[in-house]
Amino acid sequence: MEPFTRLKGLVAPLNRTNVNTDEITPARFLKTISRTGFAQALFANWRYLGDDQTPNPDFVLNQPRYQGATILLAGDNFGCGSSREHAPWAIREYGFRCVIAPSFADIFYNNCFNNGILPVTLPEPTVLELFKEVEATEGYTLEVDLEAQTVTTPEGRVFQFPIDAFRKQAMLQGLDNIGWTLSHLDEIRAFEERRQQEAPWVFSLK
Amino acid sequence: MPKSMFEKIWEAHVVRDVPGESTILYIDRHLVHEATSPQAFAGLKAAGRKVRRPDATIAVLDHNVPTLQVRGRRVLELVDQASALCITTMEQHAREFGITLFDMNDERQGIVHIIGPEQGLTLPGMTIVCGDSHTSTHGAVGALAFGIGTSEIEHVLATQCLLQKKPRSMNIRIEGSLGPGITAKDIALYMIGRLGTGVGTGHVVEFSGSAVRSLSMEGRMTLCNMAIEAGARAGMVAPDETTFAYLKGRPFAPKGALFEKAVEAWKQLPSDPGAHFDTVHEINIDGLAPQVTWGTNPGMVVDVTGRVPDPADEPDPQKRRAYERALEYMGLEPGQKITDIRVDTVFIGSCTNSRLEDLRLAAQMVKGRHVAPGVRALVVPGSMQVRRMAEEEGLADIFREAGFEWRASGCSMCIAMNGDRLSEGERCASTSNRNFEGRQGKGGRTHLVSPPMAAAAAIAGHFVDIRDF
């Protein structure tokens, strides 16, 4: 896993609620066996004028002032819908390392951690305030500090965000989750023996 | 201390639970399909790891498979090269890692969430995962079933476990009784319209109440399937005699004395009286009308007797903007009557509504009638078994004679990966689960409805209230 510690970066606003993973990465881009090559897929139905190539000048991410943004500011229930990890792959490849929103859909939230993207949850009034500031100020940046669990505005206002303690450590260190679980293999084996006694029908597949 | 069904299943699967760490949760059944797994197998290979329990892992081809056949068989030439590569890669990974695969010509093939319960792979009390958000469907048998991402698929393949933070619990009690022709789909859409697309976030939802008890297994699956559209991590329904009768004799379900022993254990699963839930909602569905979505998320829904809402009436500015965007995308006017909306295409299929019961209800609307001129109508059964049973009882003939296309099973036009899709601006009455922008094809306009509502729209050429159809 790619570690995340702190990030100071340009913010791009996507002021829409319930942005789903079909909108983040349309299904036609899922027809691949590769884990890369998704930067172009990001928000493709909004970003291009019909051909998946010609930029739509009206779409917010295409505005010159947001080029090079590394933090995406989004509305409530971001990442809802499909479980496709192609959505965070596209977000990461495009260049974002952090998404800030009032809430995230569960599967998307989990997928972010596995791809070095920090999902930051801030109260809705705060996010709405940030939208106003981003839109009003060209070159608006935020500083995100995972260790301190803070988002700091250019004027020095500090917002605290919640995060699960284990996930935080895993992300700070860039932990190999699978390796960590496999380090508890004895416990897994013991569980399997017990479960086989208690619920043998679960094991009767073959 | 009384416990909820979710707590019982959760506790029975905890491998390691240490403060300050994520819980290691054991996974009984891992369902795999070709659209989200190739990168997981590649990751496993790159790390030199094996599949820990090939015997607990079942793969099926569904997202990319053609629903057309050539001389009774499906061939790769029916889909584009990208879909074909996803299919052949799944076949290769199944061989390489020793996993059972229902390939596209296997008589057990179907949409992963249809075949799990149908084959008895999905059993009460299990933890079940799949790289697909509609895994919540399997909770209908009284299991803890949820969708995961590709990195998590790799994790489960390698360890048969997942790292989890315990979700909160929610009880949605649904009371009342359904009128004729009103289905679990209408309950689900009504519920999401009332409670919101994010109500279930962070929660495992147990559906209970008199309306849920009287649903068939198929109806419970439809309800749990749509739990993800309410944002829930998982949906579940307590197992009862309906569940046990459904599972008995299924190919992968336990047999004989082992089945009886299992049933005794499954009877202990329902939530204890007085069990705690972090959140409780109650809805009443007496007098519920058929539901039709007008917008671009499943919460944008009204009664078929209603009208497209006017964004100007919406006090919340964010919601107003979302309504305006949705109406623009959908090509609808505020105040337009739902029954005045004409459809170009009708899709009866998907993991939400393509089981035998769904096809029976749809066929009732179609029998002796014909699809309206200019309307394209498809029936895509959820599995090849559903297709065979529907053919045996004459449903296929009813659909064909009415002018419907009768296809082979797969995800098809719900996700538009296999070539079955809407074109720009095309309007569809669909029994699927997502009316998201572009979901059924770029620029396509989706209205979510129940199977009888979709079938009736195909005949009339516009939405109709099936109660007077």
Side-chain angles (χ1 to χ4, degrees), chain B residues 16-225:
Chain B
R16 178 184 167 89
D17 191 9
V18 172
E21 292 180 6
S22 289
T23 301
I24 301 183
L25 191 75
Y26 197 78
I27 303 303
D28 290 321
R29 187 73 79 236
H30 189 189
L31 304 169
V32 174
H33 63 77
E34 84 288 356
T36 57
S37 70
Q39 299 87 350
F41 284 108
L44 208 61
K45 269 201 277 195
R49 288 168 176 149
K50 289 194 166 74
V51 174
R52 174 157 178 77
R53 283 199 54 204
D55 66 306
T57 313
I58 287 270
V60 65
L61 297 168
D62 60 4
H63 281 63
N64 287 274
V65 297
T67 54
L68 293 168
Q69 292 174 308
V70 178
R71 286 182 292 280
R73 281 187 71 75
R74 290 196 260 189
V75 292
L76 288 176
E77 288 68 31
L78 291 165
V79 290
D80 64 23
Q81 276 188 336
S83 283
L85 180 62
C86 292
I87 290 170
T88 54
T89 303
M90 182 74 258
E91 290 169 343
Q92 189 192 322
H93 285 146
R95 274 195 303 275
E96 206 173 325
F97 290 95
I99 294 166
T100 301
L101 169 73
F102 300 164
D103 69 28
M104 63 182 175
N105 287 305
D106 192 305
E107 60 178 22
R108 299 165 297 183
Q109 186 272 347
I111 304 170
V112 62
H113 309 309
I114 303 286
I115 61 140
E118 182 178 86
Q119 292 293 324
L121 291 161
T122 298
L123 298 172
M126 277 184 168
T127 47
I128 301 162
V129 297
C130 174
D132 195 286
S133 60
H134 291 107
T135 307
S136 60
T137 313
H138 306 263
V141 303
L144 176 60
F146 53 91
I148 56 176
T150 297
S151 298
E152 292 174 309
I153 295 174
E154 187 178 336
H155 198 121
V156 178
L157 289 172
T159 69
Q160 202 58 32
C161 295
L162 270 177
L163 295 179
Q164 289 285 296
K165 191 180 167 197
K166 190 177 178 184
R168 281 167 288 167
S169 60
M170 182 182 290
N171 182 205
I172 300 183
R173 267 203 307 277
I174 308 173
E175 299 293 346
S177 49
L178 289 172
I182 314 299
T183 69
K185 180 65 161 292
D186 299 298
I187 299 180
L189 289 172
Y190 174 71
M191 172 189 77
I192 297 165
R194 280 282 306 279
L195 303 178
T197 51
V199 68
T201 303
H203 290 80
V204 167
V205 176
E206 180 178 342
F207 297 105
S208 66
S210 54
V212 177
R213 272 307 116 211
S214 55
L215 286 176
S216 65
M217 284 312 294
E218 285 90 339
R220 294 176 189 182
M221 288 176 211
T222 299
L223 186 61
C224 289
N225 173 277

Side-chain angles (χ1 to χ4, degrees), chain A residues 16 18 20 22 31 34-35 46 50 81-82 85 106 111 124 166 176 181 187 192 195 203 205-206, chain B residues 22 26 28 39 49 52-53 55 80 83 100 150-151 155 197 202 252 325 417 434 436-437 439:
Chain A
R16 296 180 188 187
N18 292 303
N20 62 65
D22 273 270
K31 293 168 39 151
S34 167
R35 207 178 177 124
W46 295 337
S82 156
E85 198 162 312
D106 292 326
N111 286 342
E124 188 150 33
F166 183 76
D176 167 15
T181 301
E187 285 157 275
E192 282 172 339
R195 180 105 179 115
F203 291 77
L205 186 60
K206 274 184 190 169
Chain B
S22 289
Y26 197 78
D28 290 321
Q39 299 87 350
R49 288 168 176 149
R52 174 157 178 77
R53 283 199 54 204
D55 66 306
D80 64 23
S83 283
T100 301
T150 297
S151 298
H155 198 121
T197 51
F252 290 92
R325 281 188 52 83
M417 289 176 77
R434 291 188 173 135
F436 296 162
E437 285 185 28
R439 169 77 180 186

